[in-house]
Amino acid sequence: MRKVWLALVVLTFLDLPGLAENPAGLAEAWFAALAERDGIVLQEAYASDALVFFYGTPRTGFLTGTEIAAGWEEVLGALLAVQVTPRKLEVLPEVRPVIALFALGEDLEAIWAMRFDPSGKIVREEFLLYGVSPLDQPPVLDAQVVLGEYTQTVSNAGVTFSFRNGALPLFGALSAPGTGWVSVGFDPEFSMRGANFVFAWADQAGVHVQDHYGNVPTSHRQDKTTHVFLAAGIEEGGVTTVEFIIPLDSGDLEDKPLVRGKTYTVLLAYHRNSGTPSRHTARGQAQITLE
């Protein structure tokens, strides 16, 4: 029996300077509008330069301007009735986006991410819907990479990294031989210095994920705050596979902002049997370009 470990690290986080003292309430207002199928509230929530990414919905892709209203009309048309049940809502002062995982009834789930301007208007948004057949589905965090789930894949030193990004988050998948950790480091400045690392491994206790920062060219240290939203992992048949979601820009000085359309170096490494970050068995690097 295949046992997949799912870790819910952070579901929602935000810091919205200049808005109401209860910024979580602002996000919850949009959840309520979805539950009430209030298309007017949803459509009027956006700044003029807003960028939205829908996936798993009748209209999929990046939307701007009047496309956003049309996109919501089609989403509401596909959801005959929903019951919005956020799994968790947290406020972390270090970072800026809002991201939530919630259920929409028995068979539907959604990931909804938002970034607000100081007036409370949405400037970036991600709405990922799971369970509407026969529409293409967003990446599913089940520690199993299937054809078409990710848009890009690179490999080096025995490590395979697959990913796709939207307006706010990046979905990633790592696999490597052995029972130890596997990692990806984004945008190093010199060797390991300046890179934002995700280290992950799976064992009988579950999936473990750490957020590290390359503090010197030959080493790294764990961040004070781990900005990995969700992670799932498995060690099976001598291969470790981990899937995860991170923000493109967490706002944390120990992370690196990633910008859509830009090309970055990524560092890939793994250890064949160590379950905590230690000197790698093999390492390499590759180039990726965000959508």
Side-chain angles (χ1 to χ4, degrees), residues 26 30 58 153 207 209 253 276:
L26 188 60
W30 310 139
T153 297
V207 61
V209 184
L253 295 178
T276 55

Side-chain angles (χ1 to χ4, degrees), residues 190-213:
F190 176 68
S191 192
M192 286 190 281
R193 187 177 65 202
N196 180 36
F197 289 95
V198 175
F199 281 86
W201 64 96
D203 57 27
Q204 290 304 307
V207 61
H208 309 271
V209 184
Q210 292 183 3
D211 187 351
H212 284 229
Y213 182 75

